[in-house]
Amino acid sequence: MKYGFFEDAKREYVITNPKTPVKWTNYVGTLAFGGIVDHTGGSLICKGDPALNRIVKYMPQLPSSEFKGEGMYIRIKQPDGYKIFSPFFVPTLDHYDKYECHVGLGYQRIVSEFYGIRTDVTIFVPPGENVVVRDIKVTNLGDELVELDVVPVVEFTHFDALKQYTNADWVPQTMTVDAEKNADGTVLLRQYAFMKKQYENNFFTSNVPVDSFETDRKVFLGDNEYGTWANPLELQEDHLSNIEARRGDTIAALLHKLGEVAPGETKRIVTQLGQDEPAKVTETSKKFRSLEAVDAAFAELGAFWDEYLSKNWIETPDAAFNSMVNIHNPRQCHTTMNWSRYLSLYQLGLGARGIGFRDSSQDVMGVLAGAPDEAKALMRRLISVQLPNGSAMHQFFPLTMEANEGDSREEGDKQWYGDDHLWIVQAVSAYVKETGDYAFLDEEITFYSKELPLAEREKGTVLEHLRRALEFTRTHTGKQGLPLLGFADWNDTVNLHGDAESVMIASLYGRALLEMIDLMEFLGDKTSARAYRANHAHMKKVVNEVAWDGEWYARYFEEDGTPIGSKENSEGQIYTNAQSWTVFSGFADEDRALQALESVNSKLNTPCGIKLSWPGYDGFDPAKGGVTTYPPGAKENGGIFLHSNPWVMIAETMVGNGDRAFQYYNQINPAAQNDTIERFECEPYCYPQNILGDEHPQFGLARNSWLSGTSSWTYQAAVKHILGLMPCHQGLEVNPCIPAEWDGFKATRKFRGTTYNIEVKNPDHVSKGVVSVTIDGEAIEGNVLPVFTDGKAHSTEVVMGVMVEEEQSQESQKMVLAEG
Ligand code: IFM
């Protein structure tokens, strides 16, 4: 790999060349406290809400060579002054002998060698704490004594992130830093916007004596800021100014004089950047001055990931698949569950965004095995912004739980998204299947109201919330009988006016109904099961009568009945989601499913992934909305919108095409981008949201890494559908759909307290079909592993093979489960 390599044994990706095509990032901490650290040490840290409580000024739009948020300088004393360099390469850009950024699970470790000095810095948020720790070790690799100074620096932002960018004079007029010198020589710098003085203070401190400090960027850079971050003029002085800034661009720089460092000798400094109530800051800042506390916290972080990843471990013949499924993909799922679409180098994180109802409902499904409690807590918050009529607010701010409808609309347009509420049905269903926590369905949660205070809001059980979600869609249909689009569905950018209708919402509704039928039958509520089955059959009929276009399903209908995503259209003739979801919902019978998926393959697939639609709209059309603001091939306008790719993989497994499902998996696997990384540009260890499609001159260029529903769905496609380890109400179903050439695979799956050591054998080289299952040597009926209460590990052998006719027909019946 040109820029680095995977080191699976340490669960890291190691970047060895700092000049990556764009900044490659990692996440530390959680939304409660944490943020992004880039591969050259820059950081963007927030507490609780990136828009409303941002700590560090990270400007992604500045060139990659610029100082962003946080950095560090090392000075080597020389007879004629100081040799100054950044061990993070940026912003001084010196020649390095070694550069390694270890992208770890919840930590970033940067190891570099410049001018005979090795610097090894581990950056992480101790679990549950409101500080970022930078554990800095500096080693003299040379043969002679060197006199070294270490100067870590943070640049603060106004807490209201958007206000900082407005450049209003009153922002710098409020920014303040106070300094406290401790008896042991350590220094604590407190920073706040004036109105936060009594409420929350940011702080920056270290665990060793400080020679001097700086808090005013203008003084640090020098020469009226004609000094630069690449060469801060104040660093040529023996001491920093010790100024406590009372306005302006506030920073925190601590000059540590390490004195003489002998050959081979290492010195260690720990810095903390945190936030707390003013009265607690002094006490809080003491905790990680202790090296033992730092080491223990880092071990605790590792233990969290050990536990999280231990729920599902696989060994297949494909190393890149193993690496993604065992480490990087579940890790990304945890990150998306945490941050929703709120903070990355590409997501807004500034103004009215918050946590997305649709997005987070999908994210939840990616973490259920490893983090069920976190998932449940997030679902409670999501459900609490569902409206009494069953639809949902589009997003909410996590600090205030204030919810809103999302993007602004033109007068007369609908105020709701047609799909949001349906995703939570799938999320809750997946949660109870994974955990067996059926009591959650009885938990009472309020419905949202803008007008009523919390105590006066209507309450309903979780199950009631799900029922109302389905009822909203059942009762909001248009002339064709399909669900109304509202302002938009999953595709935010197709904004049709009036009573437009959506085939994707119909299919989402169909899938949600299948989940409810299954649940009702398991709970013994036959009446509800029957009613939901009738609703499913009805919508299936409508979709097949109205939306089948000959070789694929149309995607939308305008109010006057004009189809979109039909061969009648010259642009936007075919849309991926109308094909995958009609299969996933059980609406497409086998012939149509195969035909629709063939059309996806022939019209939408590229070597870089499946496009969302084709051909792209070539010019702005207010009647279609946002999709036409992009050039053809970009984002939702015929770009390779990765989120939609796993849905096709899933659909392919449902028709038994394991080879194609795996081909689709591989072509978007970022870990397999070795040869194309120069055009791909993004991180190889996480999925991006989009890749430019083949109608665009920069076909293959990826953007918007990390926070994408691609993560949860690709993980689900891989584990539940390709490997076929599918939680169901009765136990763990094993029904793989793999490349026929595989001899099989092994998996360790911890499910509802039982550990299954599973070996799947594929002697006949089929893609799908289970002919026998044994547990601890005993054959069982069917392919659902029962839940054991003995807490022991159970070894399971699954043999794949050609199914006899009767078994096959049972299998295809499952595909259209609702008909049963
Ligand atoms: O489905 C949306 C998501 O909610 C936000 N990002 C874009 C996707 C497709 O429009």
mmCIF file of all heavy atoms in Angstrom, residues 503-535:
data_model
loop_
_atom_site.group_PDB
_atom_site.id
_atom_site.type_symbol
_atom_site.label_atom_id
_atom_site.label_comp_id
_atom_site.label_asym_id
_atom_site.label_seq_id
_atom_site.Cartn_x
_atom_site.Cartn_y
_atom_site.Cartn_z
ATOM 1 N N VAL A 503 -41.824 4.133 -4.332
ATOM 2 C CA VAL A 503 -41.760 2.661 -4.314
ATOM 3 C C VAL A 503 -40.807 2.186 -3.217
ATOM 4 O O VAL A 503 -41.007 1.135 -2.609
ATOM 5 C CB VAL A 503 -41.330 2.133 -5.707
ATOM 6 C CG1 VAL A 503 -41.100 0.629 -5.676
ATOM 7 C CG2 VAL A 503 -42.373 2.502 -6.752
ATOM 8 N N MET A 504 -39.799 3.013 -2.923
ATOM 9 C CA MET A 504 -38.893 2.591 -1.849
ATOM 10 C C MET A 504 -39.617 2.598 -0.506
ATOM 11 O O MET A 504 -39.429 1.697 0.315
ATOM 12 C CB MET A 504 -37.657 3.479 -1.783
ATOM 13 C CG MET A 504 -36.720 3.014 -0.680
ATOM 14 S SD MET A 504 -35.121 3.769 -0.715
ATOM 15 C CE MET A 504 -34.375 2.968 0.716
ATOM 16 N N ILE A 505 -40.448 3.622 -0.280
ATOM 17 C CA ILE A 505 -41.182 3.635 1.001
ATOM 18 C C ILE A 505 -42.143 2.446 1.054
ATOM 19 O O ILE A 505 -42.279 1.795 2.103
ATOM 20 C CB ILE A 505 -41.936 4.960 1.206
ATOM 21 C CG1 ILE A 505 -40.944 6.121 1.224
ATOM 22 C CG2 ILE A 505 -42.724 4.927 2.523
ATOM 23 C CD1 ILE A 505 -41.580 7.491 1.362
ATOM 24 N N ALA A 506 -42.763 2.139 -0.080
ATOM 25 C CA ALA A 506 -43.648 0.970 -0.100
ATOM 26 C C ALA A 506 -42.860 -0.274 0.335
ATOM 27 O O ALA A 506 -43.339 -1.101 1.128
ATOM 28 C CB ALA A 506 -44.215 0.770 -1.506
ATOM 29 N N SER A 507 -41.642 -0.393 -0.155
ATOM 30 C CA SER A 507 -40.840 -1.583 0.140
ATOM 31 C C SER A 507 -40.324 -1.581 1.572
ATOM 32 O O SER A 507 -40.250 -2.631 2.217
ATOM 33 C CB SER A 507 -39.667 -1.673 -0.824
ATOM 34 O OG SER A 507 -40.125 -1.607 -2.150
ATOM 35 N N LEU A 508 -39.968 -0.388 2.054
ATOM 36 C CA LEU A 508 -39.550 -0.288 3.458
ATOM 37 C C LEU A 508 -40.701 -0.703 4.363
ATOM 38 O O LEU A 508 -40.516 -1.389 5.370
ATOM 39 C CB LEU A 508 -39.234 1.166 3.793
ATOM 40 C CG LEU A 508 -37.830 1.668 3.584
ATOM 41 C CD1 LEU A 508 -37.812 3.181 3.707
ATOM 42 C CD2 LEU A 508 -36.931 1.068 4.651
ATOM 43 N N TYR A 509 -41.883 -0.252 3.974
ATOM 44 C CA TYR A 509 -43.105 -0.609 4.701
ATOM 45 C C TYR A 509 -43.283 -2.133 4.633
ATOM 46 O O TYR A 509 -43.549 -2.785 5.653
ATOM 47 C CB TYR A 509 -44.256 0.131 4.035
ATOM 48 C CG TYR A 509 -45.657 -0.192 4.504
ATOM 49 C CD1 TYR A 509 -46.046 0.021 5.823
ATOM 50 C CD2 TYR A 509 -46.606 -0.673 3.592
ATOM 51 C CE1 TYR A 509 -47.360 -0.251 6.223
ATOM 52 C CE2 TYR A 509 -47.906 -0.932 3.992
ATOM 53 C CZ TYR A 509 -48.281 -0.726 5.311
ATOM 54 O OH TYR A 509 -49.567 -0.990 5.708
ATOM 55 N N GLY A 510 -43.064 -2.697 3.451
ATOM 56 C CA GLY A 510 -43.187 -4.144 3.287
ATOM 57 C C GLY A 510 -42.214 -4.894 4.192
ATOM 58 O O GLY A 510 -42.580 -5.874 4.846
ATOM 59 N N ARG A 511 -40.996 -4.406 4.247
ATOM 60 C CA ARG A 511 -39.983 -5.071 5.094
ATOM 61 C C ARG A 511 -40.376 -4.938 6.567
ATOM 62 O O ARG A 511 -40.282 -5.890 7.345
ATOM 63 C CB ARG A 511 -38.617 -4.439 4.838
ATOM 64 C CG ARG A 511 -37.463 -5.066 5.577
ATOM 65 C CD ARG A 511 -37.114 -6.429 5.031
ATOM 66 N NE ARG A 511 -36.949 -7.406 6.099
ATOM 67 C CZ ARG A 511 -36.831 -8.725 5.917
ATOM 68 N NH1 ARG A 511 -36.882 -9.240 4.701
ATOM 69 N NH2 ARG A 511 -36.681 -9.537 6.919
ATOM 70 N N ALA A 512 -40.819 -3.724 6.932
ATOM 71 C CA ALA A 512 -41.217 -3.503 8.324
ATOM 72 C C ALA A 512 -42.403 -4.405 8.683
ATOM 73 O O ALA A 512 -42.473 -4.963 9.785
ATOM 74 C CB ALA A 512 -41.576 -2.036 8.536
ATOM 75 N N LEU A 513 -43.314 -4.590 7.725
ATOM 76 C CA LEU A 513 -44.459 -5.486 7.974
ATOM 77 C C LEU A 513 -43.982 -6.921 8.187
ATOM 78 O O LEU A 513 -44.479 -7.630 9.065
ATOM 79 C CB LEU A 513 -45.446 -5.418 6.809
ATOM 80 C CG LEU A 513 -46.333 -4.166 6.776
ATOM 81 C CD1 LEU A 513 -47.037 -4.044 5.428
ATOM 82 C CD2 LEU A 513 -47.365 -4.180 7.914
ATOM 83 N N LEU A 514 -43.009 -7.356 7.373
ATOM 84 C CA LEU A 514 -42.495 -8.717 7.565
ATOM 85 C C LEU A 514 -41.938 -8.887 8.974
ATOM 86 O O LEU A 514 -42.147 -9.922 9.623
ATOM 87 C CB LEU A 514 -41.388 -9.026 6.541
ATOM 88 C CG LEU A 514 -41.782 -9.152 5.079
ATOM 89 C CD1 LEU A 514 -40.586 -9.591 4.242
ATOM 90 C CD2 LEU A 514 -42.929 -10.151 4.894
ATOM 91 N N GLU A 515 -41.236 -7.857 9.434
ATOM 92 C CA GLU A 515 -40.667 -7.924 10.789
ATOM 93 C C GLU A 515 -41.795 -8.020 11.825
ATOM 94 O O GLU A 515 -41.709 -8.791 12.782
ATOM 95 C CB GLU A 515 -39.796 -6.695 11.079
ATOM 96 C CG GLU A 515 -38.567 -6.552 10.204
ATOM 97 C CD GLU A 515 -37.557 -7.670 10.361
ATOM 98 O OE1 GLU A 515 -37.574 -8.368 11.395
ATOM 99 O OE2 GLU A 515 -36.748 -7.874 9.427
ATOM 100 N N MET A 516 -42.842 -7.247 11.614
ATOM 101 C CA MET A 516 -43.941 -7.238 12.587
ATOM 102 C C MET A 516 -44.738 -8.549 12.542
ATOM 103 O O MET A 516 -45.177 -9.052 13.580
ATOM 104 C CB MET A 516 -44.863 -6.052 12.328
ATOM 105 C CG MET A 516 -44.296 -4.749 12.824
ATOM 106 S SD MET A 516 -44.112 -4.670 14.617
ATOM 107 C CE MET A 516 -45.642 -3.877 15.075
ATOM 108 N N ILE A 517 -44.903 -9.103 11.351
ATOM 109 C CA ILE A 517 -45.630 -10.381 11.245
ATOM 110 C C ILE A 517 -44.882 -11.449 12.050
ATOM 111 O O ILE A 517 -45.455 -12.176 12.869
ATOM 112 C CB ILE A 517 -45.751 -10.817 9.761
ATOM 113 C CG1 ILE A 517 -46.621 -9.827 8.981
ATOM 114 C CG2 ILE A 517 -46.298 -12.238 9.645
ATOM 115 C CD1 ILE A 517 -46.480 -9.938 7.461
ATOM 116 N N ASP A 518 -43.576 -11.456 11.825
ATOM 117 C CA ASP A 518 -42.709 -12.402 12.505
ATOM 118 C C ASP A 518 -42.800 -12.236 14.033
ATOM 119 O O ASP A 518 -42.947 -13.204 14.787
ATOM 120 C CB ASP A 518 -41.287 -12.066 12.022
ATOM 121 C CG ASP A 518 -40.369 -13.246 12.029
ATOM 122 O OD1 ASP A 518 -40.861 -14.360 12.254
ATOM 123 O OD2 ASP A 518 -39.166 -13.046 11.809
ATOM 124 N N LEU A 519 -42.752 -10.982 14.457
ATOM 125 C CA LEU A 519 -42.791 -10.674 15.888
ATOM 126 C C LEU A 519 -44.144 -11.047 16.490
ATOM 127 O O LEU A 519 -44.234 -11.676 17.552
ATOM 128 C CB LEU A 519 -42.495 -9.181 16.102
ATOM 129 C CG LEU A 519 -42.518 -8.674 17.536
ATOM 130 C CD1 LEU A 519 -41.443 -9.346 18.379
ATOM 131 C CD2 LEU A 519 -42.319 -7.152 17.577
ATOM 132 N N MET A 520 -45.214 -10.680 15.800
ATOM 133 C CA MET A 520 -46.556 -10.962 16.314
ATOM 134 C C MET A 520 -46.770 -12.470 16.430
ATOM 135 O O MET A 520 -47.356 -12.947 17.401
ATOM 136 C CB MET A 520 -47.623 -10.350 15.388
ATOM 137 C CG MET A 520 -47.676 -8.850 15.398
ATOM 138 S SD MET A 520 -48.018 -8.213 17.046
ATOM 139 C CE MET A 520 -46.536 -7.397 17.456
ATOM 140 N N GLU A 521 -46.292 -13.197 15.448
ATOM 141 C CA GLU A 521 -46.465 -14.657 15.517
ATOM 142 C C GLU A 521 -45.690 -15.219 16.692
ATOM 143 O O GLU A 521 -46.181 -16.061 17.430
ATOM 144 C CB GLU A 521 -46.043 -15.294 14.203
ATOM 145 C CG GLU A 521 -47.169 -15.106 13.209
ATOM 146 C CD GLU A 521 -46.983 -15.792 11.893
ATOM 147 O OE1 GLU A 521 -45.822 -16.138 11.582
ATOM 148 O OE2 GLU A 521 -47.989 -15.941 11.185
ATOM 149 N N PHE A 522 -44.489 -14.693 16.890
ATOM 150 C CA PHE A 522 -43.671 -15.168 18.008
ATOM 151 C C PHE A 522 -44.338 -14.841 19.343
ATOM 152 O O PHE A 522 -44.337 -15.644 20.269
ATOM 153 C CB PHE A 522 -42.277 -14.544 17.931
ATOM 154 C CG PHE A 522 -41.373 -14.972 19.040
ATOM 155 C CD1 PHE A 522 -40.870 -16.271 19.083
ATOM 156 C CD2 PHE A 522 -41.045 -14.103 20.065
ATOM 157 C CE1 PHE A 522 -40.045 -16.679 20.127
ATOM 158 C CE2 PHE A 522 -40.229 -14.506 21.105
ATOM 159 C CZ PHE A 522 -39.726 -15.794 21.133
ATOM 160 N N LEU A 523 -44.959 -13.666 19.410
ATOM 161 C CA LEU A 523 -45.613 -13.254 20.666
ATOM 162 C C LEU A 523 -47.006 -13.862 20.816
ATOM 163 O O LEU A 523 -47.688 -13.633 21.799
ATOM 164 C CB LEU A 523 -45.709 -11.719 20.737
ATOM 165 C CG LEU A 523 -44.377 -10.951 20.779
ATOM 166 C CD1 LEU A 523 -44.638 -9.446 20.812
ATOM 167 C CD2 LEU A 523 -43.522 -11.356 21.977
ATOM 168 N N GLY A 524 -47.446 -14.551 19.788
ATOM 169 C CA GLY A 524 -48.744 -15.218 19.867
ATOM 170 C C GLY A 524 -49.926 -14.313 19.552
ATOM 171 O O GLY A 524 -51.072 -14.674 19.834
ATOM 172 N N ASP A 525 -49.686 -13.145 18.976
ATOM 173 C CA ASP A 525 -50.783 -12.241 18.627
ATOM 174 C C ASP A 525 -51.189 -12.505 17.173
ATOM 175 O O ASP A 525 -50.784 -11.801 16.239
ATOM 176 C CB ASP A 525 -50.320 -10.785 18.827
ATOM 177 C CG ASP A 525 -51.417 -9.780 18.522
ATOM 178 O OD1 ASP A 525 -52.465 -10.182 17.951
ATOM 179 O OD2 ASP A 525 -51.224 -8.593 18.829
ATOM 180 N N LYS A 526 -52.019 -13.505 17.008
ATOM 181 C CA LYS A 526 -52.366 -13.963 15.655
ATOM 182 C C LYS A 526 -53.211 -12.938 14.909
ATOM 183 O O LYS A 526 -53.103 -12.794 13.695
ATOM 184 C CB LYS A 526 -53.107 -15.300 15.735
ATOM 185 C CG LYS A 526 -52.207 -16.432 16.220
ATOM 186 C CD LYS A 526 -52.669 -17.757 15.702
ATOM 187 C CE LYS A 526 -51.789 -18.921 16.121
ATOM 188 N NZ LYS A 526 -50.362 -18.689 16.029
ATOM 189 N N THR A 527 -54.043 -12.197 15.654
ATOM 190 C CA THR A 527 -54.904 -11.205 15.001
ATOM 191 C C THR A 527 -54.062 -10.136 14.324
ATOM 192 O O THR A 527 -54.280 -9.783 13.154
ATOM 193 C CB THR A 527 -55.829 -10.551 16.051
ATOM 194 O OG1 THR A 527 -56.375 -11.592 16.836
ATOM 195 C CG2 THR A 527 -56.911 -9.728 15.415
ATOM 196 N N SER A 528 -53.091 -9.628 15.068
ATOM 197 C CA SER A 528 -52.234 -8.592 14.474
ATOM 198 C C SER A 528 -51.442 -9.174 13.317
ATOM 199 O O SER A 528 -51.284 -8.532 12.274
ATOM 200 C CB SER A 528 -51.269 -8.028 15.510
ATOM 201 O OG SER A 528 -51.976 -7.374 16.513
ATOM 202 N N ALA A 529 -50.928 -10.372 13.503
ATOM 203 C CA ALA A 529 -50.128 -10.996 12.431
ATOM 204 C C ALA A 529 -50.963 -11.072 11.154
ATOM 205 O O ALA A 529 -50.484 -10.765 10.057
ATOM 206 C CB ALA A 529 -49.649 -12.379 12.851
ATOM 207 N N ARG A 530 -52.229 -11.462 11.326
ATOM 208 C CA ARG A 530 -53.112 -11.615 10.161
ATOM 209 C C ARG A 530 -53.331 -10.248 9.489
ATOM 210 O O ARG A 530 -53.247 -10.122 8.270
ATOM 211 C CB ARG A 530 -54.449 -12.214 10.616
ATOM 212 C CG ARG A 530 -55.204 -12.886 9.484
ATOM 213 C CD ARG A 530 -56.451 -13.609 9.973
ATOM 214 N NE ARG A 530 -56.217 -14.521 11.095
ATOM 215 C CZ ARG A 530 -56.752 -14.404 12.324
ATOM 216 N NH1 ARG A 530 -57.583 -13.415 12.603
ATOM 217 N NH2 ARG A 530 -56.488 -15.282 13.275
ATOM 218 N N ALA A 531 -53.562 -9.242 10.303
ATOM 219 C CA ALA A 531 -53.810 -7.900 9.737
ATOM 220 C C ALA A 531 -52.559 -7.396 8.997
ATOM 221 O O ALA A 531 -52.658 -6.861 7.883
ATOM 222 C CB ALA A 531 -54.187 -6.940 10.859
ATOM 223 N N TYR A 532 -51.408 -7.580 9.596
ATOM 224 C CA TYR A 532 -50.182 -7.093 8.940
ATOM 225 C C TYR A 532 -49.911 -7.890 7.657
ATOM 226 O O TYR A 532 -49.415 -7.349 6.672
ATOM 227 C CB TYR A 532 -48.981 -7.172 9.893
ATOM 228 C CG TYR A 532 -49.050 -6.141 11.013
ATOM 229 C CD1 TYR A 532 -48.774 -6.493 12.333
ATOM 230 C CD2 TYR A 532 -49.404 -4.816 10.744
ATOM 231 C CE1 TYR A 532 -48.845 -5.549 13.359
ATOM 232 C CE2 TYR A 532 -49.478 -3.864 11.765
ATOM 233 C CZ TYR A 532 -49.200 -4.242 13.062
ATOM 234 O OH TYR A 532 -49.270 -3.298 14.068
ATOM 235 N N ARG A 533 -50.262 -9.160 7.714
ATOM 236 C CA ARG A 533 -50.044 -9.985 6.506
ATOM 237 C C ARG A 533 -50.949 -9.476 5.359
ATOM 238 O O ARG A 533 -50.509 -9.369 4.216
ATOM 239 C CB ARG A 533 -50.342 -11.450 6.817
ATOM 240 C CG ARG A 533 -49.817 -12.373 5.739
ATOM 241 C CD ARG A 533 -49.956 -13.835 6.109
ATOM 242 N NE ARG A 533 -49.024 -14.221 7.149
ATOM 243 C CZ ARG A 533 -49.353 -14.676 8.344
ATOM 244 N NH1 ARG A 533 -50.622 -14.816 8.691
ATOM 245 N NH2 ARG A 533 -48.429 -15.017 9.204
ATOM 246 N N ALA A 534 -52.150 -9.109 5.723
ATOM 247 C CA ALA A 534 -53.066 -8.582 4.700
ATOM 248 C C ALA A 534 -52.526 -7.256 4.143
ATOM 249 O O ALA A 534 -52.578 -7.009 2.928
ATOM 250 C CB ALA A 534 -54.453 -8.378 5.304
ATOM 251 N N ASN A 535 -51.990 -6.421 5.013
ATOM 252 C CA ASN A 535 -51.412 -5.142 4.543
ATOM 253 C C ASN A 535 -50.242 -5.393 3.601
ATOM 254 O O ASN A 535 -50.055 -4.693 2.606
ATOM 255 C CB ASN A 535 -50.929 -4.291 5.721
ATOM 256 C CG ASN A 535 -52.076 -3.849 6.607
ATOM 257 O OD1 ASN A 535 -53.237 -3.925 6.217
ATOM 258 N ND2 ASN A 535 -51.758 -3.400 7.814
#
